[in-house]
Amino acid sequence: MYFQYQLEDRKLINGKWPFENGSIKGDFQIYVDGKIYFDESSMKVVELATELGKWLDLARHGVMREFAYVSLDHNEVILQFVMQQDGIRLSSPIQNVELQKPFEVVDVIDAVTKFLAVLNKKLHEMDYFEKLDLYLHNNLSENAKALILFEQNEYDDAFALFKKLAEEQPSVQSLNNLARMYLREEEDVDAAKRILREVLVLNPQSYFPYNMLGEIALAEKQYKEAEMYLTKSLQFQHSDEAIYNLGIVYFNQSRFDEAAHQFSKITEYMNFAWLYEVFAWVKAGQFEKAAAMLASWTPDMEDYVGAIEIADVYVELNELALAKKWFEYTLEDGYLATYIIRRYAYVLMALQEEERCQQFIDKQLVLKKVEIQEIEQEPCEVNWTELDKQESLEESQAEQMMLETLFEQLSQGYVPQHDYDLYPTSSCYLFGCVQHGHAEYE
């Protein structure tokens, strides 16, 4: 759940009346699970925020009471928090959807706090006579304010506040959070590494900075360094991210048994951890273990890993009938990646289905020629330049040449190699992030 507002800037610009009479209005919405639950235009946004602030102040002191907002513009309560044993139920005569269950108290407090913090920043920028400091300053750290701005897409202000905190109050928390912003938002890896190394000097008692440094080292193929950081991270806390990425480190060091065991430790679904474990067992020569895992796969697990990936590994196990079955489970008449075309055509050839193999390749060749014609005829524009067009054309023409010779190559014993990538994973490593349940660093 989150609150959103848009002030009527035109009225604010054209006169002082809204300032002097406390009648700033705007559009106000409450979103629940991505859908608009409450939507009201010309809402007295600051008046509502002040009433919410009074409710929030009591809630933070353990006094839970119902909230009912009544405005002079309406003849009835238009927004209400109804206290129940299992949480808070929202109620409004103008609600757009019917809510099925109440909210956790902490979730409502969090949503209200974020709304007040973002609106209060706007009120300060406008130098409006009424502000919400009373309801926020005693309850929110500067780090929490920065995180709220970030979550509300006020990125520039959030980043500026993170930098200010790191410069004026360098600590494990302020430096770590700034490094995270540089790493994921600014995509400035060098700055992130420099700041994270400052964090290590402070002897952090958290896995956050070690996980980030491990991810960076892994991306830079510095596997010994990545292993050091990720192993240190796991000494503080076992996180699936560190376990998963350490498995990738072992895999890239050809320590395949260790890699497989790492991937098997993942407690929840995470990217392709299950498939990576299969890869590792294959590379370790443990074909029976790999085959047993593949045999447990069913099509209703497609959100976990798809039939194409299953078929591709069966090729490596030389289980060609099963490879064919799962390739054909998802193959469609449309575009196929050239890698899949080569692997499936190889399976058909190896199963001595030469005629079918030739027909399949010919069909893909026709589709490729149509694709080339479409590229040639497509007009250039701002986002599709002559250079883009030429590069795409050259790539498709190279694929056409491959298809024209593929059958002959397969007839002469060509085996397309297994092509795969192991992608590292990441998570939120921001101290104080309420959304992910992270406490501030102590």
Side-chain angles (χ1 to χ4, degrees), residues 262-311:
Q262 280 297 116
F263 293 131
S264 71
K265 295 177 185 177
I266 301 298
T267 57
E268 297 179 2
Y269 163 71
M270 181 181 292
N271 296 336
F272 283 90
W274 183 88
L275 186 62
Y276 291 178
E277 183 184 347
V278 175
F279 287 170
W281 288 129
V282 172
K283 287 289 188 180
Q286 301 279 356
F287 302 131
E288 290 185 4
K289 289 184 178 180
M293 290 186 67
L294 291 177
S296 71
W297 183 87
T298 60
D300 59 6
M301 297 167 61
E302 283 188 6
D303 61 328
Y304 193 78
V305 62
I308 289 289
E309 288 82 13
I310 295 294

Side-chain angles (χ1 to χ4, degrees), residues 150-163:
F150 179 52
E151 291 175 13
Q152 298 295 318
N153 296 318
E154 300 284 346
Y155 177 75
D156 291 340
D157 292 323
F159 188 52
L161 185 50
F162 279 124
K163 286 200 290 186

Side-chain angles (χ1 to χ4, degrees), residues 166-177:
E167 290 167 1
E168 296 180 357
Q169 305 169 38
S171 65
V172 170
Q173 175 168 285
S174 63
L175 292 169
N176 177 90
N177 285 5

